[in-house]
Every structure is written in C-alpha cells, then in structure tokens.
Amino acid sequence: MVIPPAEHEREEARPQKASPLLRLALPVLLLVIWEIAAILLDNEFILPRIGSVLSILLHPAADILGSGSLISNGLISLERVLIGFFIATLIAIPLGIGMGRNDMVHTLFDPVIQMFRPIPPLAWVPLSLAWFKIGLSSMVFIIALGGFFPILLNTIDGVRSVRKTWIEAATTLGASEKGILMRVVLPGAAPTIWTGLRVGFGICWMCVVAAEMMPGTNSGIGYLIMTSYNWGQVQVIIAGMIVIGIIGLGVDSLFKFVEKRRFSWRELDR
Amino acid sequence: MSLTLKEITKRFTRRGVELTVLEDISLEVEDEEFLCILGPSGCGKTTLLRIIAGLEVATSGTVRVNEKEVSGPTPELAMIFQEYSLFPWRTVIENILFGLECRGLPQAEQMDQAKKYLDLVGLTEFAGSYPYELSGGMRQRVAVARAIAVNPSVLLMDEPFGALDAQTRNMLQKELLEIWQKTRKTILFVTHSVDEAVFLADRIVVLSRNPGRIRQIIDVTADRPRDRTCNECALIRREVLSLIEEEH
Ligand SMILES: Nc1ncnc2c1ncn2[C@@H]1O[C@H](COP(=O)(O)OP(=O)(O)OP(=O)(O)O)[C@@H](O)[C@H]1O
Ligand SMILES: [Mg+2]
C-alpha cells in the first residue's frame, strides 16, 4: 500500500503518547541522588540511607521510641482530621447553599468571610490554645478552619452555576422549594461541592500534622515526627513524612475516583 | 380546559428606561387547539409564554386556566424550553420521572408512566442514556416526554426546534403533531419560522414589535397531514410574510 505523502506527514505530526515508564523516571532519579548523597555525607543525623527509612516503613505496626507505631499514629491523625473535616462540611455546605441561593444571606456573611479567609489556619494556633487549651478540641478547631473556606467557596460557586433553566423546568414540572433544593440545586452543584470537599480535605490533612507539632501533644503522626527530631531519628522523620504523603494521596485518589464515576456528566455535558 | 389571556401588558425597566414589551394581549385559546405564536425576534414571544407559565409576572392583565387565575407555575401548564433544560446528571428515563417523583406517585406507577411516554417519543432504547449522549433532536423529544408525563392540559413550547437542522426539525414537527393527536393536549407553540407555523397550527397569532401587540390572528384550515407546498399553505405564508414585512 502506498501512503500519500500528506497522510504520512500527518502521521508524524501527531503528538507521541508518553510511555507510562516516563512517570517513573524522575522518582527513580531522585532516589538515586538521595542514596548517593547519603553515602557521600555519611551522617545519619542529616540524611539517612534509603534502607534505614525503608526498614521502618516495612514495619508500620512496630512501636517507635515508645510513642506508638506509624499505623496507630496515622490512624489517630486521620481520626482528628475526619472530625474537623466533618464539622467544616456540616457548617460550610448549608451556609454555602444559603449564600449561593439568596443574595441577602450572601451580603450578610460575605464581608466576614472575606475578612477571615486570608488568615492561615496556623495563625489561629495561639488563640485556639488560649480558648480550648491543649488537646483534641484545639486541634479540631484548626483543622475545621482549614477545611471550611474551600468547601464554602466551592459550594457557593456550585450553587450559582446551577442553570436557571433547570430550576424553571423543575418548577413547571411541579417541584416544591424543597424539591428544587434536593433534586436540582444539590445534584447540579454536587460536582463543584465535591471539588471543594477534596481541596478542603487536603488542607485539613496539612493542618493536622502542623497542629500535632504543637507543644503538649502526645500522639499523631505529626507528634511522632517531632519526637523523632528530638531523638535525632531522621529516618523516622522521613518515614513519617512518607506516610503523611501516602495517606493524603490515598484520600485524594478516593475523591477523584468518586468524581469520575459520579460527576463525569459535568465535563461531558454540552 | 380553557385558557384565557386578558389584556396582558408587560414592561421592563432597564437602566431607568421603561420598555413596553407586550401591550394589551387578549386571547382565547380553545381546547385541544394547536396555536402558534409568530413574530420577529425581540417582540416578546418568550416573555408572553413565560407569563402564561407563571414564571414571570405581567405588569397588568390576567391569565386564567379553567377560570382560575395563574399566579405561579401550575402542573396544568407545562413548559418546553428551547434548549438545555434536561438535567444532565439524570438518565433519559430519570429525566422523565422527575415530574412524577414530585407528585409522589407510587414508584411502580411512576415507572409505568415514564416508560409509556418514553415509548411515545420513540426513545425506549435510550432509557439509560445520559443527555450528553443524545443528539439535539433526541434531547428535545425527551423534554417533550418529560413535560407530557405530568399530564398537563396545556403545553407551552418556546421555539423547541429552533436549534435543530431543517431535516430534524421537519421530522420533529411531524412527530409532535402525532403526539398532539394522540394525547389531545392544547399546544401554544412559539416560533419565528413562518413555515413551521403554517405546517403546525390551527391558528397563527402574529405579533408585531415595539410594543408586542397582536397584529392578526390567521386560521389555517388545511387538512393534516399537510403538504408543505400546498396551495393554501402558500397563500397563508404569503399573507403572514406581508404582515411581517409591513412592519419594516
Ligand atoms: N428580564 C428582562 N429585563 C429587561 N428586558 C427584558 C427582560 N426579558 C426580556 N426583555 C426584553 O423584552 C424584549 C422581548 O424579549 P423576548 O425574549 O420575549 O423576545 P422574543 O420574541 O422571545 O425574541 P426571540 O425570538 O429572539 O427569542 C426584548 O427586547 C428583551 O430585551
Ligand atoms: Mg424567545
């Protein structure tokens, strides 16, 4: 068969599909650099060998320095995050729906929200210690604050993106106010709200680690890292950081998985 | 069923300037009638339909359905929008179920009804498809099925085929007539296509612009199914066109 030249050129111009191996190239390179640097430095208090970090990661249920294992501390952190995230969601979604649907509610709350939004959650640490003392409630407070704004802003956005025609169609089909809320506004805004939840969870997860580094804490993955620092156990610090990354990535993938299954209509809708 | 419009006037205020969009529209729509509302762009056709549907409030005048004044959307009047009214997160059958769910019928009955109307528009195979998987014509069929499923006595249609190509458009017009004959609904059909109005209507209400007034009401008595090129159709087309041209 003779391929006409034009066809042939087009074939070549087509962008090449990247091989999945390419994704691994940089991580492998980083590991190699790490190992070489560790050997050259030869100081485990600055940069331990990969092997010593790995041996900790491979025994995630083993007790570390009398402070519990990677798994037990990871679960404690996860539990704290879930409480804070849950509280943030519980307040942010209804408020966001109210603000997105009703201009008066929006005007009422917006100035306060704009004022508090730029303050990083960690700037609240001293105040939260003063109010709640050291313990679960002060951590949950910081975590909830961190998750609150992305969830709220995305909910407002999502509700506002609900097409007027959908709402009008629903009214003419006999939907009540409640029916419109439950059957049109919520499902219509759901993809955007879900994005808010995903981003919000990520921030909550960052906040928990930081909150657990506050003095007086005695559990959680952030605490474990801080203790290891005090004991000069750099390989535990790194192992702890890797666990934080893995859990964060895992939850994020879970969010994305649901997004793909349930909310793909938003991308595909024309 | 009776639908009566009495002295409907609608004004909008835009940047302090008052604009009379509709003026003194009075109309008696007959039971089971196919009425087309025809007029140039911007003459207030959509506004009129929205007022009848209860989605917009008239500045003065009343709309009565079965002697009852319309003050908001009622299940007696179903609206079919030009485009983009299907719920994209619901499948075809779930879209049709929407109105039935709102009425709280028993689940099994809801499903029976929805399937019946899905069948009426010939989309049984597509029950589980999402709107984005359908062509424009198919989506408008679903919109028709969804509206009829709640059993309104009047269908209000705002240029429902306006975004479709000519062939699809002709096909849907034919199908709509069949559905109309089967279900005996009263239909108010807004269009700016003279051909479409002549093919579909029992009566054509021609609106003028600035302000939108009833210019004339024309009876179309040709038998259905109509031949788009028949003599009477041609005569009426000419009459309507001359009415519209006089405006300019
Ligand atoms: N909410 C509104 N506020 C101000 N003016 C409006 C509003 N809605 C409609 N109008 C004006 O009313 C006039 C009629 O609009 P309408 O949409 O009813 O026209 P139409 O006959 O449906 O036109 P088309 O054939 O292009 O759809 C237009 O001049 C429009 O600008
Ligand atoms: Mg219009």
Side-chain angles (χ1 to χ4, degrees), chain B residues 45-46 158-159:
Chain B
K45 304 182 294 294
T46 297
D158 186 11
E159 302 198 40

Side-chain angles (χ1 to χ4, degrees), chain B residues 130-224:
Chain B
Y130 283 89
Y132 57 77
E133 299 173 294
L134 307 181
S135 69
M138 287 152 90
R139 276 184 251 170
Q140 284 310 72
R141 287 194 187 98
V142 177
V144 169
R146 183 178 68 175
I148 301 185
V150 297
N151 197 23
S153 29
V154 185
L155 285 183
L156 306 169
M157 308 181 80
D158 186 11
E159 302 198 40
F161 309 146
L164 306 177
D165 64 87
Q167 249 177 326
T168 315
R169 199 175 172 143
N170 286 356
M171 195 157 70
L172 262 79
Q173 288 166 2
K174 270 191 216 145
E175 288 177 20
L176 179 63
L177 283 179
E178 281 164 25
I179 290 171
W180 171 64
Q181 274 154 354
K182 265 189 225 162
T183 57
R184 311 303 322 170
K185 305 282 177 208
T186 304
I187 296 184
L188 259 73
F189 190 106
V190 162
T191 179
H192 60 238
S193 154
V194 180
D195 288 348
E196 188 166 60
V198 173
F199 183 71
L200 292 171
D202 291 322
R203 281 195 298 165
I204 303 174
V205 176
V206 182
L207 295 184
S208 64
R209 189 160 63 172
N210 288 334
R213 284 207 195 97
I214 294 187
R215 180 75 204 256
Q216 191 155 340
I217 300 178
I218 297 166
D219 289 297
V220 187
T221 51
D223 289 333
R224 293 190 180 91

Side-chain angles (χ1 to χ4, degrees), chain A residues 162-176 179-180 183-185 187-189 262 264-266 268-270, chain B residues 50 53 55 73-75 77-79 81 83-90 98-99 101-102 131-134 139 146-147 150:
Chain A
V162 170
R163 236 178 243 152
K164 202 171 145 226
T165 316
W166 294 337
I167 294 177
E168 289 184 344
T171 9
T172 60
L173 291 167
S176 59
I180 288 173
R183 291 173 200 275
V184 184
V185 174
R262 296 289 313 266
S264 54
W265 60 262
R266 187 175 56 171
L268 298 165
D269 192 36
R270 313 169 263 157
Chain B
R50 289 172 58 83
L55 292 171
T74 90
L77 304 162
M79 179 102 168
F81 300 83
E83 280 188 285
Y84 307 125
S85 72
L86 295 183
F87 306 120
W89 58 90
R90 286 179 167 240
F98 186 93
E101 286 168 11
C102 293
Y132 57 77
E133 299 173 294
L134 307 181
R139 276 184 251 170
R146 183 178 68 175
V150 297

